[in-house]
Amino acid sequence: MRTAVVVGAGIAGLAAAGALARSGWQVTLLERADRIRAERTALVLWPNGVRALRALGLGGGLDAIATTLPDAGVRRPDGHWLVQPRPTVTERAPVVVHREDLHDALIAGLGDRVEIRTGVTVRNVRATAGERPAVGDGRSTLEADLVVAADGIDSVVRRRLAPESTVVSSGCAAWRAVIPWYRAPQLPPDRPVGGETLGAGYRFVVASLGDRGSSGASTRGGIYWVATAAGASRPEPPETQLALLRRWYADWPAPIGELLAATEADDLIQQEVRELRPLPREYGFPVGPGGFVLLGDSAHAMPHHLGQGACLAFEDAATLQAVTREAVPGKALCAAIESYSGLRRPRTATMVRQTRRLAAVLQTRGRLALRARDVALGRINPRLMGSAATAAAQWEPPA
């Protein structure tokens, strides 16, 4: 029986554990928290992420929980259009899903070959030539043929295997919230719920999770918003942070003010935006009869500007499933681990490069630079976003 340990039970770890289990692996899933839970927010999945979920066999219920994200254009804080809305091409449009809905789908896909252990903090990594890979919490050691590091941007496993890659600030912080429909403001029917507003170092993105009063499979519908501001994360309590957001975005066009007014402090989730620089040189590390792989944010954490973090994690899981499906411990598994690294490293490097190009545009500050950006954004944004969308869409699951 082939065995695997997956470190981290976020969406990346859940996807990887389920993928391996459905391929015949016996999996132990380790989570440092006392229970597995999802954030009460949402995320955007681009077509490559949707394609990866379908390759993982998890596409069946996706349609019931996903809402197509229309192209609603980009405005300035004064309401003027930087990029006019364009017709939505459904097959190329991203979708938005509630994280708790997606989490439920991933949990349901684990099957009976996954043992979940909570309250386990990995502190030690054994990557010794000739021995099976292993991780430990300081009290006990767990060996396996394959160890998957899905333990996020602060990955203990990555720090041991790829110490050249360090965590740095992206120079901004983000706040997310989902306002449930029963508290969401009533908006005029001619005002679509969605779109992006872009200012000097500030950004506000809005998306609808389903339709008000719809009777879909999800009971977690509402309006999802993300606010991004240049600078460090705020240490104040959520009530104070929400007051700051209302002040910062007070003069921005509707429905931003209405959405912030309807948001409660308990809805608010702050995220310090960080990234890996440089990326690890490898994502696969053969050791003994098997080895380690890096997956998700542990491999390629990046700013959220393109919404590709979760998508790339699902690509990672689908690729890992494909290359290890028939691999047995020994030369075959070591070769599969090297193949995984060879497939994923160039792909993620491309998407990180696209994200950093967009970040340079989005975080423009200063009156002259901002004016130049606004003049050019009608050309830059479609070209840059189109290039990023094309790069994302080019991904196909390995045979």
Side-chain angles (χ1 to χ4, degrees):
M1 175 68 70
R2 299 176 298 172
T3 60
V5 170
V6 177
V7 183
I11 59 174
L14 291 172
L20 291 170
R22 289 188 293 276
S23 300
W25 291 75
Q26 188 66 41
V27 181
T28 302
L29 178 61
L30 305 180
E31 169 57 38
R32 66 180 178 181
D34 59 349
R35 65 186 180 94
I36 298 176
R37 69 191 81 188
E39 285 185 354
R40 303 183 316 277
T41 60
L43 57 82
V44 173
L45 295 176
W46 288 75
N48 57 310
V50 173
R51 197 176 300 126
L53 282 175
R54 297 196 188 283
L56 290 169
L58 300 172
L62 186 61
D63 293 339
I65 62 174
T67 304
T68 299
L69 196 61
D71 186 331
V74 183
R75 292 183 294 176
R76 295 190 319 206
D78 62 7
H80 287 83
W81 289 107
L82 289 170
V83 181
Q84 291 277 352
R86 290 166 292 179
T88 300
V89 181
T90 303
E91 60 270 20
R92 296 204 299 266
V95 299
V96 59
V97 296
H98 200 290
R99 278 182 174 268
E100 290 178 323
D101 286 332
L102 183 60
H103 179 268
D104 290 349
L106 293 171
I107 288 288
L110 290 179
D112 57 4
R113 289 179 176 268
V114 178
E115 177 194 358
I116 300 174
R117 300 185 187 179
T118 58
V120 178
T121 300
V122 170
R123 305 180 190 279
N124 306 315
V125 178
R126 190 181 75 196
T128 306
E131 296 190 54
R132 297 177 80 204
V135 293
D137 63 357
R139 295 170 296 179
S140 60
T141 299
L142 188 60
E143 295 182 344
D145 301 312
L146 176 66
V147 175
V148 179
D151 47 344
I153 189 170
D154 296 310
S155 170
V156 172
V157 181
R158 186 199 63 249
R159 288 203 299 268
R160 166 67 173 82
L161 300 174
E164 75 280 359
S165 187
T166 58
V167 179
V168 300
S169 171
S170 297
C172 60
W175 291 262
R176 307 169 189 268
V178 172
I179 307 171
W181 282 124
Y182 72 88
R183 276 199 283 112
Q186 290 282 353
L187 302 177
D190 61 343
R191 186 190 299 171
V193 179
E196 175 180 345
T197 308
L198 186 59
Y202 292 83
R203 185 187 189 196
F204 203 97
V205 179
V206 181
S208 174
L209 282 164
D211 298 315
R212 191 188 299 269
S214 63
S215 56
S218 173
T219 60
R220 302 182 176 113
I223 299 178
Y224 170 54
W225 61 258
V226 183
T228 306
S233 58
R234 305 293 303 198
E236 298 92 347
E239 294 81 3
T240 305
Q241 294 178 30
L242 184 56
L244 285 171
L245 290 170
R246 288 169 177 165
R247 189 176 72 199
W248 290 342
Y249 296 95
D251 299 325
W252 286 41
I256 294 174
E258 294 99 315
L259 294 177
L260 288 172
T263 302
E264 297 180 353
D266 288 344
D267 301 327
L268 202 62
I269 295 179
Q270 181 183 205
Q271 173 194 1
E272 181 186 6
V273 183
R274 300 180 295 159
E275 58 189 286
L276 293 179
R277 285 182 182 258
L279 292 178
R281 289 189 289 266
E282 302 290 340
Y283 289 164
F285 304 85
V287 174
F292 298 82
V293 297
L294 306 180
L295 185 145
D297 280 352
S298 71
H300 44 69
M302 67 187 77
H304 62 284
H305 304 311
L306 283 179
Q308 280 292 324
C311 297
L312 292 176
F314 295 145
E315 286 185 21
D316 293 343
T319 302
L320 183 64
Q321 182 185 55
V323 300
T324 62
R325 190 182 302 274
E326 305 297 333
V328 295
K331 290 183 179 179
L333 181 54
C334 290
I337 290 170
E338 291 179 340
S339 176
Y340 170 83
S341 184
L343 290 168
R344 296 308 300 156
R345 182 56 171 76
R347 164 68 176 167
T348 57
T350 297
M351 297 312 302
V352 167
R353 195 160 50 245
Q354 295 283 358
T355 298
R356 289 174 182 166
R357 289 178 61 201
L358 183 59
V361 174
L362 297 178
Q363 295 178 8
T364 299
R365 304 185 77 179
R367 182 176 299 177
L368 293 178
L370 189 64
R371 184 178 302 170
R373 184 207 64 186
D374 287 354
V375 169
L377 193 60
R379 293 181 293 105
I380 294 174
N381 189 278
R383 186 172 71 246
L384 184 55
M385 293 299 291
S387 175
T390 299
Q394 288 174 342
W395 183 84
E396 293 288 343

